[in-house]
Amino acid sequence: MPHVTPPLRLGLTGGIGSGKSTVAALWRGAGHRVIDLDAYSRRVLDVPGDGVEEAVARFGEELRTAEGTIDRAAMARLVFADAAARADLEDLVLSRVDLAVADEEAEAARAGERVVIHDSPLLLEKHHDGDYRAVIAVLARREDRIDRVVRDRGRDRAYVESIMAAQVTDLERIRRADRLVLNSAGRETLAARALHALDMTLIELRAALEEPGDSALR
């Protein structure tokens, strides 16, 4: 079997309402492989299968919905009141996310792709920044973020503020990220900034790898 070089990892992160998902979609539309870790995480409990069965075995049959998925609201109430249960849920979900991500990275390697991007909302909170060759963070003004989530997701202000309080601050994102994308002036400007940030990051990677002519890093 021929040797397959694993792709380099870049990390994309940002707080709730920052526009991180929009940036991820822009990069995906430009032809880059963006792996949505949150989507894989949701799938563990939102799609009938081994993840749901293990959750029911650990937390109780009463959490199973009529559709064969997990009642997220009931699960949230349980795990936020019990640190051990929360740790068990994280282990259950993350072990499956890791397998799914590994499968997608292997697919990228077989396709000859040199770079994959992990879209991870809790990348810095979970201290995973050391797992990446570079981390790009999306920033936006606090009030803009709150307004965006209230308007687009139907959440109230208190909910958004509670999520923000559990995430790292923008100052921490500025300190720890390798590059920033400021979401402050509309979608067209965001698109230009996001694509420029990724292009510059890939140029720097080429230089670091001493492969300036490698068109696969695009």
Side-chain angles (χ1 to χ4, degrees):
M1 180 179 294
H3 175 71
V4 177
T5 302
L8 301 175
R9 288 178 173 176
L10 301 183
L12 169 66
T13 194
I16 185 172
S18 64
K20 175 187 62 63
S21 296
T22 300
V23 170
L26 288 164
W27 289 350
R28 195 176 287 115
H32 301 283
R33 185 181 290 262
V34 181
I35 302 176
D36 186 341
L37 272 65
D38 208 27
Y40 279 130
S41 177
R42 291 192 299 270
R43 202 173 300 171
V44 173
L45 302 181
D46 291 349
V47 177
D50 290 346
V52 170
E53 295 306 319
E54 186 174 337
V56 167
R58 166 62 179 86
F59 301 106
E61 182 67 35
E62 63 274 13
L63 291 177
R64 192 195 303 268
T65 69
E67 293 76 27
T69 63
I70 292 296
D71 182 335
R72 282 187 167 275
M75 177 67 84
R77 288 193 294 271
L78 188 157
V79 300
F80 280 116
D82 183 336
R86 185 162 65 251
D88 285 349
L89 178 62
E90 289 180 352
D91 286 345
L92 184 160
V93 171
L94 291 177
S95 62
R96 286 169 169 77
V97 170
D98 288 345
L99 288 173
V101 170
D103 285 345
E104 188 162 353
E105 289 185 342
E107 178 185 294
R110 290 192 296 271
E113 298 174 31
R114 298 297 308 279
V115 173
V116 296
I117 302 163
H118 285 196
D119 173 4
S120 176
L122 297 179
L123 188 157
L124 298 179
E125 286 80 357
K126 296 295 185 180
H127 300 281
H128 290 164
D129 30 329
D131 296 339
Y132 298 94
R133 291 298 296 260
V135 172
I136 301 174
V138 185
L139 301 180
R141 288 186 288 262
R142 177 182 175 86
E143 288 304 314
D144 289 346
R145 292 169 59 193
I146 293 171
D147 290 346
R148 191 175 295 124
V149 177
V150 169
R151 181 189 67 240
D152 297 342
R153 306 185 201 175
R155 299 289 191 173
D156 60 30
R157 184 184 181 94
Y159 169 85
V160 184
E161 290 180 334
S162 70
I163 298 296
M164 286 180 168
Q167 296 180 330
V168 300
T169 65
D170 279 346
L171 285 177
E172 186 72 359
R173 292 187 184 98
I174 291 167
R175 186 179 71 82
R176 293 167 62 187
D178 299 285
R179 197 172 298 277
L180 305 172
V181 176
L182 181 59
N183 182 11
S184 62
R187 186 181 176 87
E188 287 188 6
T189 300
L190 175 62
R193 290 173 175 173
L195 294 171
H196 177 72
L198 183 55
D199 285 346
M200 294 302 296
T201 301
L202 294 177
I203 287 169
E204 291 174 358
L205 276 179
R206 288 192 197 103
L209 293 171
E210 297 182 345
E211 296 175 345
D214 190 346
S215 61
L217 281 177
R218 61 178 182 82

